[in-house]
Structure formats: structure tokens, C-alpha cells
Amino acid sequence: MEELDVEPAITNIPAASDGKHLGFAWGPGDILAYETLYMAPGSGCSFIHEVRKDEDIYSPILRKLFNESHHIFVGLQTIREDLPSKNKKTQFVSISKNYRSVIRACMEELQQVAETLHPYMKTSVLVLQVSILLAIELIWNLCEVLFIDAAPAGPLLLHLLDWVRLHKGDVDEKAREVLQSESPAEHHDYWDVVVSYVLQGRFEEARQMLVKQATLQPAARNMYKLMDTLLSKMPFYNPGGTQTLTEFDVKWRHWHEEVDRCLQDNSFASNQHLEIICKILVGDEDTLLEHKELLSTWYHFLVTRLLFCHPTVKPTELHYYAQSCMTMFLDLRSVPEPLDSILLAAFEFDIHQVIKDCSIALNNWWFVAHLTDLLDHCKLLQSHNLHFGSNLREFLLLEYASGLFTHHSLWQLAVDYFDNCPEFGHVYLELQIERVPLDTERKALKVLRICEQRQMSEQVRSICKIMAMRALRNNRLGSALSWSIRAKDAAFATLISERFLQDYCARGTFSDLDLIDNLGPAMLLSDRLTFLVKYREFHKLYEENRFSEAAKLLLSLITAKIAPRSFWMTLLTDALPLLEQKEVSHNLFVFSSDKLIVKRLPFSLFTSLCSQN
């Protein structure tokens, strides 16, 4: 697209039947939409609406997410490629957990804010942000288990159990209510808590809850003791132990047969609740589906089914069980939510589909950009390039960083993201940095430092010229000169130098002496600037009573032909007091009328010429 130096045109939509128009003014990160209609004086005004591209960057709490994740991202880029893959995998898993901890911290803070508000004050935006962060953490955690940690059969189920437990925290809240009641075993939610513990494989907590019920039913104590034995004997694979996966499978099958025998023998027939638990332990699908309310999601149903039916499931088998569980759990008439499709794609190990669906479903690029970057470092996206050149990682990082540049402070984070996009990052940074409003000199210096560190000479000159012109308009000559020197703009430095000389002629003194006295080699940028500095040096020599040196310098200024013509008479006038000094020679100089010619003349002749002028 061709870039224009003018403001973008306003787009008007044709008038509706009521005579109103809707106009759009396009900006770098948002759109201004406004009504345009003929209105009689005093009848009010039309409304202006700001349509932002990425609303989340304006949330104070979510800005913490962007800031904290930026540090993690920068640290990830420093991991050396030559590290052994086992060491790198440990680091990648640790980084993934760091990302998740930042997500959870922001989510909990949003929930705390929501709790402090009156129910009528809770905005839909706040509720939406919490739900999105919940979904983001859920997806990220699953991707960590399946792709980054890449757990094999055995440990895989343990990780999936932790995943479900972490994201199904209502069980613990309900358990606290039950335990804090006067008689927990008689609480109306007691059995729901016990069954929920069993469904999550939390048998130790379930056993502790069953003890309270057993004390109230001495006659059924043996039945409760049998259930306690079955729960305590269920084997769990220990990745750090000496037991092989085959040995664990044999042991688990023996336990499963024992539970099935108890069910066939009607050992719990007289207690409906214990019989339900026994059916769950054998993996009875009808019983599991009867507890949809406690499971709440198809993926919880999936993990529970794997726990009691297929504890040695392999990663390559997950997609089959995931699809069947989603089909069984969801109503045939219901359409899967975007979250369901994303999780199913993850269970199918379709990484690119996960990223694609998340890009469509989520309201910003933060999640897909950071997850894709981490997966790319894990060498899981190497084969996927986009048809227009940039790979998937770089494309998403560029989109995310471009959104950050629309914010008044987060734009600084975007610089590091562009720096780590080797193909197009530098070009994007050049385009975006020019859009940063230079509100203050401090901000301008910050932008300038970024450009100088990256050899962006064109942007450096542009920033310096803008700031120099702004300073000149405000009559801050010292600042304007400093910026023009930094921009290496000889023409502008000449203009400002002439302003300094004009001020001197008008007031008889120089402003910004510290700057002029310490320019050093920078004075060579333009002849006029050199003259300004040397003329100021002449005045210093004169003030220090070093008249001979002052006279020589004044002579060199005139003979060097760098003084403006309007200043010649001022130079001659400055020479008059020197002629009275003994150290100064009685041979001096004069200008001809047509061109600058240096002539040695007797003192009497020079004074007569001066009197004629």
C-alpha cells in the first residue's frame, strides 16, 4: 500500500431514512465513529464512539499480564540452542508454568475486584475477562501436558488428573462448607463431595469423608471398611519408582477385578451411595454419565473414564477417547463451544488447529503469540510456514506487538517482540515507532535511544527534527539547537544559530551559554554554528582580558568569510575597544565594498573608515 503524508479521509455512510449519517475517522489503533446530521441550534449534539482494536490493553489488571509475560518472553529467547534437549525440556516446562502463574494471578485479582463490587455494578466486561483467562489457563495447561512436557503413557494420566483438579476447584469450596457445618455427615452436599473426590481420583480425601459417615452407622461399619480398603488399594503409577508400566498394568487389573467382584457379590447393595462409588470405580459409563452435574464438562468425564478404564492410555490414543467422550457427554442437539473444539484439537495433537481456533475465539493476540513462541522453541512448529514469507511464530508476534504500540506505555514492551522477529521485525518497528506521540522530551529521548541502538538513522533524524521544530516554536533555542545537532541537520542548525545571533544583537547577551561553550566538534556541523561558537569564544577571551588572543580570533572570524553580512558591522564595532589596548598591533584590517578582502592599514586610516561607516 502507498503511504500518504496527509490525514486519512473521513468515510461517510449514506444517510438513513431519518437523515442521519455515520462517519469513521481511522487511527493507528482505533476508529472514531460518530453521527453526522443537520441539527438546529440548541438541539443537542451527536455522539462520538471510540472503537478500539484491542480493549484489553487498557485494563490496569491485564496490563500486569502483559508486563510480567514480557519478562518471561525475553528470558525464553536467551536459552542456548546447544543445550542438551533434556535440559531444555525442563526449562521449557518451567517457563510454561511461569506463564500460567501470571495468568492465574491476574485472574484471581480480577475475581477479587468483582467480589468487591455490588452485583448491579459487575460489568459484563469484567465477567468476560475472567472467563477468558480461565479458558486461556485451561488450554495452556493442557498444551503444556501434551506438547511441552510430552508425558508418555503412565505419567500422562497423572498430569491429566492434576489438570482437571486444578480447573475444578468448586469441590474444595463445597467440601469446606460441609466440614464447617455442625454435622458434616448429615449435610445435604456430603455425598456430592465424596463422589466428586472419587471422580477426581482424590481417594485420600474421599476416605477421610467416609470415616465421618461410618461413625454414624455402626451397623454398616464393615461395608465402609471394605470400601476404604478398595480405595486405599487402587494403584497409581509412580514415574520415579522401579515398577514398569507393564507391572503397574497387571497390578491395576487385579485391583479392578476385585472391585468388580464386590459389585457382582452385591457387597454394597444395602447402601445406595457406596454402590454408586463402586460402580464408578469399575468405570461404569452409565453411572458416570448420571453424574454429569458433578463432572460438569466432557473433558472431566474423559479423564475420569481414563482413570477407571484405561490408566495406561498412550498419547496417540487420546483423540479416540476424547471424541467418544465428547459425543457421549454433550447433548446431541447442542453445538460444541469454541473451547470444546480447541481442547479436542489439542487431544488430537493438532497444534496448528489449536492456534487457529484460539486466534478466532479469543479477543487478543497475547495467548497465541506467547504459546506459539514457546512451542516454536520446543521445535514443534518448524514445518509450518505461511505462504507470504513469515513463519507462524513471527506473524503472531508481529500482530501482538503491533497492538501494544497503540498503548501510551505498553509500546515499550513491543520493541523486544519486534527485535526477536528476524525477518520483518525491524521493518515493523520502523513503521510503528513513527506513530508514537512524542508528548514530552523525556519520551522523545526514550524513543530516540531505541532508534539509535538499532541504527534507525532515518527515524532518528525525524524525531530530532520534530523536537527541534517544537522547541524553536516555543523559543527554546538551546533545546532546538541540541536536537538539530543530534539530527545532524546543518540547515536547521544554521537557522537556529542565526536566531542566537539576532537575540544577541537585540539584547547584547547570549542565552544558553553552557550549551554553546561545550559544543566541541559538533560546532563544525554548519559554518554559521561554527561562527556562533567562535564569536562566543571571542567574548570569553575579551572578558578574561586576553586581548591579543581575542584580536587574533576576531581577525580570523572576519577573514574566514563565515560571518553573516548583517553581522560585519558588529564585528568591526567589537574591534574598536581592542585598538586601545597596547598588546594589539596598530596594523588592522578593512572590508572592501564588493567582496571580502583583507588589507593591512595604519590605525589612523582604519578609524577614519569606521567613522565614515
Side-chain angles (χ1 to χ4, degrees):
M1 294 178 63
E2 182 182 359
E3 290 193 39
L4 301 176
D5 292 327
V6 297
E7 290 293 324
I10 293 174
T11 305
N12 288 312
I13 293 178
S17 56
D18 57 0
K20 293 183 179 180
H21 294 74
L22 187 63
F24 295 96
W26 301 86
D30 49 23
I31 304 171
L32 289 180
Y34 54 90
E35 296 177 8
T36 59
L37 66 162
Y38 175 76
M39 306 189 75
S43 61
C45 61
S46 61
F47 292 99
I48 296 179
H49 309 277
E50 184 177 10
V51 184
R52 287 171 171 164
K53 176 183 178 182
D54 190 351
E55 184 68 25
D56 285 347
I57 64 175
Y58 298 95
S59 165
I61 296 176
L62 290 181
R63 281 206 298 272
K64 295 180 182 178
L65 173 69
F66 302 136
N67 278 301
E68 293 296 326
S69 59
H70 163 259
H71 295 305
I72 302 172
F73 170 83
V74 172
L76 174 58
Q77 313 311 311
T78 62
I79 293 181
R80 289 172 26 221
E81 290 291 331
D82 57 348
L83 282 177
S85 31
K86 185 177 181 180
N87 293 351
K88 282 199 288 189
K89 178 180 175 180
T90 303
Q91 286 186 297
F92 291 148
V93 172
S94 175
I95 288 171
S96 178
K97 290 179 178 178
N98 289 340
Y99 274 126
R100 287 199 292 115
S101 67
V102 172
I103 297 170
R104 179 157 287 270
C106 289
M107 179 179 62
E108 290 174 352
E109 190 171 350
L110 281 170
Q111 289 173 330
Q112 289 173 2
V113 172
E115 288 171 2
T116 60
L117 296 176
H118 190 277
Y120 295 108
M121 295 176 63
K122 291 183 180 179
T123 63
S124 58
V125 174
L126 195 62
V127 175
L128 178 63
Q129 288 175 342
V130 172
S131 63
I132 288 175
L133 287 179
L134 280 168
I136 283 176
E137 191 195 8
L138 181 73
I139 299 167
W140 191 300
N141 196 350
L142 182 60
C143 291
E144 179 185 304
V145 171
L146 299 180
F147 307 142
I148 302 169
D149 199 1
L156 175 60
L157 180 60
L158 300 178
H159 289 308
L160 291 175
L161 282 170
D162 290 337
W163 174 60
V164 165
R165 292 166 186 168
L166 181 63
H167 300 283
K168 194 73 171 62
D170 59 335
V171 179
D172 296 310
E173 187 177 341
K174 192 180 291 185
R176 278 193 296 271
E177 293 178 8
V178 171
L179 293 173
Q180 289 171 3
S181 64
E182 293 182 3
S183 179
E186 296 177 345
H187 194 279
H188 63 277
D189 285 333
Y190 170 82
W191 284 108
D192 282 351
V193 171
V194 174
V195 173
S196 295
Y197 278 145
V198 173
L199 290 171
Q200 290 188 8
R202 299 168 64 176
F203 295 154
E204 196 60 39
E205 291 97 326
R207 290 170 63 198
Q208 291 173 7
M209 294 291 287
L210 286 173
V211 168
K212 301 182 181 301
Q213 190 68 233
T215 56
L216 295 179
Q217 302 181 33
R221 186 167 296 172
N222 290 334
M223 195 183 308
Y224 280 96
K225 187 175 181 180
L226 176 59
M227 177 56 70
D228 183 77
T229 302
L230 292 177
L231 291 174
S232 64
K233 288 172 65 177
M234 178 176 178
F236 282 89
Y237 183 73
N238 181 13
T242 58
Q243 189 180 51
T244 65
L245 189 63
T246 303
E247 291 171 341
F248 163 75
D249 187 51
V250 171
K251 186 177 181 180
W252 181 86
R253 291 184 185 279
H254 286 317
W255 171 83
H256 194 267
E257 290 171 0
E258 182 181 351
V259 177
D260 192 48
R261 279 196 301 272
C262 292
L263 188 62
Q264 299 302 326
D265 295 344
N266 296 318
S267 300
F268 304 103
S270 59
N271 190 309
Q272 175 190 0
H273 298 293
L274 294 181
E275 188 175 36
I276 288 173
I277 293 175
C278 190
K279 288 181 178 180
I280 291 174
L281 294 179
V282 296
D284 183 73
E285 289 181 356
D286 292 335
T287 304
L288 291 176
L289 291 171
E290 287 171 4
H291 292 83
K292 277 187 177 183
E293 187 176 344
L294 297 180
L295 290 167
S296 72
T297 61
W298 67 267
Y299 44 89
H300 187 182
F301 171 52
L302 164 66
V303 176
T304 300
R305 186 183 172 200
L306 293 175
L307 174 64
F308 297 118
C309 300
H310 311 284
T312 58
V313 62
K314 298 176 182 177
T316 53
E317 299 169 340
L318 276 177
H319 69 94
Y320 165 74
Y321 294 116
Q323 182 65 66
S324 62
C325 285
M326 190 172 77
T327 303
M328 284 189 288
F329 193 88
L330 297 180
D331 192 308
L332 294 176
R333 292 168 297 177
S334 63
V335 179
E337 296 288 333
L339 178 61
D340 298 323
S341 302
I342 293 169
L343 295 177
L344 184 61
F347 282 120
E348 292 173 348
F349 284 84
D350 192 343
I351 298 176
H352 300 105
Q353 191 63 43
V354 171
I355 295 171
K356 178 182 177 181
D357 290 347
C358 288
S359 300
I360 296 171
L362 300 177
N363 62 342
N364 65 65
W365 296 101
W366 179 90
F367 174 75
V368 289
H370 289 87
L371 178 63
T372 304
D373 174 62
L374 181 54
L375 294 176
D376 187 75
H377 277 83
C378 296
K379 307 297 182 185
L380 296 172
L381 297 172
Q382 298 303 304
S383 61
H384 195 81
N385 290 320
L386 303 181
H387 67 276
F388 49 82
S390 176
N391 60 38
L392 182 60
R393 169 192 173 273
E394 182 161 321
F395 169 76
L396 295 173
L397 287 177
L398 292 173
E399 288 296 319
Y400 171 67
S402 298
L404 291 181
F405 249 98
T406 64
H407 192 269
H408 64 88
S409 64
L410 293 178
W411 65 269
Q412 298 170 76
L413 307 182
V415 175
D416 286 322
Y417 289 95
F418 285 139
D419 284 345
N420 287 283
C421 295
E423 192 166 353
F424 295 121
H426 192 78
V427 176
Y428 267 67
L429 180 57
E430 288 180 338
L431 295 173
Q432 294 288 351
I433 204 80
E434 294 175 350
R435 299 175 180 175
V436 177
L438 306 177
D439 307 318
T440 64
E441 193 156 310
R442 182 181 177 184
K443 188 173 183 180
L445 288 170
K446 194 177 292 184
V447 176
L448 188 66
R449 195 177 305 114
I450 290 171
C451 295
E452 288 176 340
Q453 290 170 350
R454 290 156 183 81
Q455 290 80 48
M456 297 163 59
S457 54
E458 190 63 36
Q459 284 70 27
V460 168
R461 283 193 294 272
S462 175
I463 293 167
C464 292
K465 286 180 180 179
I466 291 171
M467 297 306 294
M469 187 62 72
R470 185 180 299 172
L472 185 62
R473 282 199 300 265
N474 295 327
N475 205 34
R476 295 168 54 228
L477 298 181
S479 178
L481 180 59
S482 178
W483 283 110
S484 64
I485 291 172
R486 203 157 187 171
K488 296 181 174 58
D489 190 333
F492 205 73
T494 298
L495 175 64
I496 298 170
S497 299
E498 289 183 349
R499 283 286 300 272
F500 269 105
L501 295 172
Q502 290 170 10
D503 277 11
Y504 170 76
C505 292
R507 302 188 316 182
T509 58
F510 283 109
S511 60
D512 299 287
L513 293 180
D514 287 343
L515 175 64
I516 299 173
D517 291 344
N518 295 283
L519 281 180
M523 69 176 180
L524 301 175
L525 180 62
S526 78
D527 289 347
R528 199 57 43 85
L529 181 58
T530 303
F531 172 77
L532 171 66
V533 174
K534 288 298 180 182
Y535 186 60
R536 161 60 189 160
E537 186 180 335
F538 159 74
H539 277 271
K540 285 179 65 178
L541 292 173
Y542 187 86
E543 291 167 3
E544 296 169 0
N545 297 324
R546 297 159 65 182
F547 302 120
S548 180
E549 295 175 54
K552 290 178 181 178
L553 180 56
L554 187 61
L555 177 62
S556 66
L557 287 177
I558 297 175
T559 58
K561 304 180 182 179
I562 58 175
R565 293 181 63 89
S566 60
F567 216 74
W568 288 0
M569 194 45 132
T570 303
L571 293 178
L572 293 175
T573 305
D574 289 333
L576 292 176
L578 293 174
L579 299 176
E580 300 173 0
Q581 307 300 324
K582 295 179 181 180
E583 298 89 351
V584 181
S585 171
H586 284 270
N587 289 329
L588 215 57
F589 47 85
V590 68
F591 292 116
S592 67
S593 59
D594 55 340
K595 58 183 178 178
L596 185 64
I597 303 173
V598 179
K599 296 180 180 179
R600 296 286 176 174
L601 296 173
F603 173 69
S604 58
L605 181 58
F606 174 79
T607 53
S608 64
L609 284 171
C610 288
S611 62
Q612 291 174 12
N613 288 329

